[in-house]
Amino acid sequence: TQVGASVGSARASGILDFHRVSPQSPLMLAFGFLFGAPIREYLLTALTLPFALFFVLTDNLDSRSLVQAEILLLAMAVTLHAMALLGGLALKGTISGQSALGFTVMIGMFVIGPLFGFFQLLAGPLFRDDAHLELFGLPLPWLAFVLLHLAAVFYFFLLASTRKMASERKHSLTKPQAIAAMTTLGLFAVGGMSNWNMEGGVQIAALYVL
């Protein structure tokens, strides 16, 4: 919400146009909104880390699970923030944090959800060091599998946001970039289908949607 509202209000007030003519590159402007707008939320989350570590140590739990969970939390947050950034830059009319958040949730369901098997891959049993997920038959540690998918989603949304940050008139992606994005995300979705604990009809439906 903070990311969408921040870039949306700057865009609606015209301040974003002044940013565009500044010496800062569009990528740096995108990073500024991406990490600057939710800085309060990052700090609040950081305050919870000592307490989480305290409970892990007092209960003699494996601290590696906590590290994995925090890495996953950060990666998911940055990816969703990139979606909200594009929403604030691309949606028509006055942009509010709520509308950008709604855009983020909608895109997240249609993009991240199918990639991870409708979020079933993030279930509790995966928080084990020996859990692996297959990508085209190649077993990967579950965190590496998830981060690989999130990195691809984040890259293309940041690429689109950078283009929109450079100019309001630009399309979010060029045709080659859009084809590359669809190909990459489609391959990841197909490559991870063997991890779906569902009947084959769901995989067939997903293939037709792709």
Side-chain angles (χ1 to χ4, degrees):
T1 304
Q2 291 291 345
V3 175
S6 177
V7 68
S9 61
R11 179 183 169 204
S13 64
I15 296 178
L16 190 59
D17 293 326
F18 286 94
H19 287 305
R20 287 190 172 110
V21 297
S22 70
Q24 294 292 331
S25 66
L27 180 61
M28 290 299 101
L29 292 176
F31 274 126
F33 283 102
L34 190 65
F35 296 105
I39 187 63
R40 178 181 59 187
E41 284 68 26
Y42 278 112
L43 294 176
L44 289 174
T45 304
L47 291 177
T48 68
L49 294 178
F51 298 96
L53 183 60
F54 170 78
F55 286 115
V56 167
L57 295 178
T58 54
D59 289 341
N60 295 320
L61 300 176
D62 190 351
S63 59
R64 287 177 294 181
S65 296
L66 175 62
V67 173
Q68 290 176 333
E70 294 297 338
I71 292 175
L72 176 63
L73 175 65
L74 178 62
M76 285 291 295
V78 172
T79 304
L80 292 175
H81 291 167
M83 294 182 181
L85 178 63
L86 180 59
L89 289 168
L91 292 178
K92 302 297 182 182
T94 303
I95 308 301
S96 65
Q98 286 73 21
S99 62
L101 180 63
F103 173 85
T104 302
V105 172
M106 179 185 69
I107 296 299
M109 289 175 60
F110 284 100
V111 175
I112 296 183
L115 286 179
F116 296 156
F118 303 102
F119 292 99
Q120 286 196 1
L121 300 182
L122 305 183
L126 286 183
F127 286 87
R128 305 190 310 269
D129 294 328
D130 59 345
H132 285 72
L133 295 172
E134 291 187 355
L135 183 63
F136 291 107
L138 178 65
L140 297 174
W142 73 266
L143 184 59
F145 178 93
V146 174
L147 291 180
L148 185 62
H149 286 69
L150 288 178
V153 175
F154 173 78
Y155 171 77
F156 287 111
F157 274 91
L158 181 63
L159 177 62
S161 299
T162 303
R163 287 178 53 82
K164 296 296 289 187
M165 189 70 73
S167 175
E168 186 85 15
R169 296 171 178 263
K170 283 187 177 181
H171 291 289
S172 298
L173 295 173
T174 64
K175 289 182 180 180
Q177 290 170 347
I179 293 173
M182 291 298 298
T183 302
T184 302
L185 301 182
L187 285 174
F188 277 149
V190 173
M193 282 184 180
S194 60
N195 301 296
W196 297 14
N197 296 320
M198 301 178 184
E199 297 296 330
V202 178
Q203 284 88 337
I204 294 176
L207 288 174
Y208 273 102
V209 171
L210 289 173

